[in-house]
Amino acid sequence: MIVRQAANVLEIIEFFAQVKKPATLAEIADHFGWPRSSTFNLLATLSEKGYLYEPRPRAGFYPTPRLLTMARMISEVEPLPPWTHTLVADLSAETGETASIVAPAGTMAVFIDVVESQAAIRYFATIGHRVPIHATASGRALLLQYSQEERDAVYRKIEFKQYGPSTPISIEAVETELRNSIDRGYCQSFADYSRDLAGAAIPLPIGDRRLSVVVAGPEFRIGPKVAEVASLIARTVDRLRPKTAT
């Protein structure tokens, strides 16, 4: 007996393995002859679980490397250029903390490449991990790449919650933190979302892709040197980014 919803999820995975490029909701629905409402629910569920993300604005969905059985087929056209993995590997080795590449997924930010710290006490993160886009350094580094109109559209969908003692719980608070980030030259978080966790992040636009790079770890280690970590991130990006990359 075939469970139709389970089969549909597998067919979506196989579809991406075959077409090897992002696809919009309409393209997927038309390909399978599915109602758009049902297709939306499937894509939203896969995105919520960290299996899909939007690599380019309004250009459709694409699987994250979290998809296990299809990972090799998908990785042939993985949208991250190779130097970005070297970036997070070098940052993790230099700082001893977890370093990640992050992409937008609606009101969330999804981790699409991670090199985890080897320390016993560390930030545990995996590919597909999702955090609120407004309440984290990595997410706010993404929001800095949005126009005001685009940010306003995201804000309307956010359910503002007090995740931690310094969580911005209003549009005004998020916008203030974004202005502060521009002034200091990087985004930072001190237990904004996860208790006892701190991080530094900067925008990492590549072509028309909105990405960010973040180094995060226990607040007692990262907190006193967050500016130093942010400076290291910027220098490492400058060193590794191909001169033709934008």
Side-chain angles (χ1 to χ4, degrees), residues 5-181:
Q5 284 187 319
N8 288 351
V9 170
L10 294 174
E11 287 172 2
I12 288 176
I13 294 171
E14 293 169 351
F15 168 79
F16 281 117
Q18 292 167 3
V19 301
K20 299 184 179 181
K21 64 180 182 179
T24 65
L25 184 155
E27 289 170 339
I28 295 170
D30 291 346
H31 176 84
F32 290 108
W34 294 342
R36 294 197 179 186
S37 59
S38 300
T39 307
F40 172 81
N41 290 337
L42 283 171
L43 296 177
T45 299
L46 287 168
S47 297
E48 181 67 22
K49 299 297 290 184
Y51 289 96
L52 296 181
Y53 76 109
E54 298 173 76
R56 296 179 179 84
R58 298 180 297 280
F61 297 87
Y62 196 74
T64 71
R66 193 173 183 179
L67 288 167
L68 299 179
T69 57
M70 295 294 172
R72 290 184 180 178
M73 298 177 70
I74 293 168
S75 66
E76 294 175 4
V77 287
E78 168 57 43
L80 284 179
W83 68 268
T84 60
H85 183 74
T86 303
L87 170 65
V88 290
D90 285 4
L91 287 172
S92 182
E94 182 74 17
T95 63
E97 305 294 352
T98 298
S100 309
I101 303 293
V102 183
T107 62
M108 306 295 285
V110 60
F111 287 53
I112 58 174
D113 195 7
V114 178
V115 175
E116 199 170 85
S117 169
Q118 297 302 303
I121 301 175
R122 63 184 185 271
Y123 179 35
F124 291 90
T126 59
I127 290 172
H129 179 58
R130 290 159 57 90
V131 296
I133 198 168
H134 70 290
T136 54
S138 58
R140 291 193 289 266
L142 296 172
L143 288 176
L144 283 176
Q145 301 170 67
Y146 285 44
S147 68
Q148 185 65 60
E149 182 180 1
E150 290 171 324
R151 289 203 301 272
D152 288 342
V154 172
Y155 294 150
R156 287 193 290 270
K157 300 175 183 177
I158 290 175
E159 182 181 356
F160 289 95
K161 296 180 180 179
Q162 189 78 56
Y163 296 106
S166 55
T167 306
I169 56 173
S170 68
I171 294 173
E172 293 76 12
V174 177
E175 286 290 305
T176 296
E177 182 53 36
L178 292 180
R179 289 192 293 271
N180 291 340
S181 298

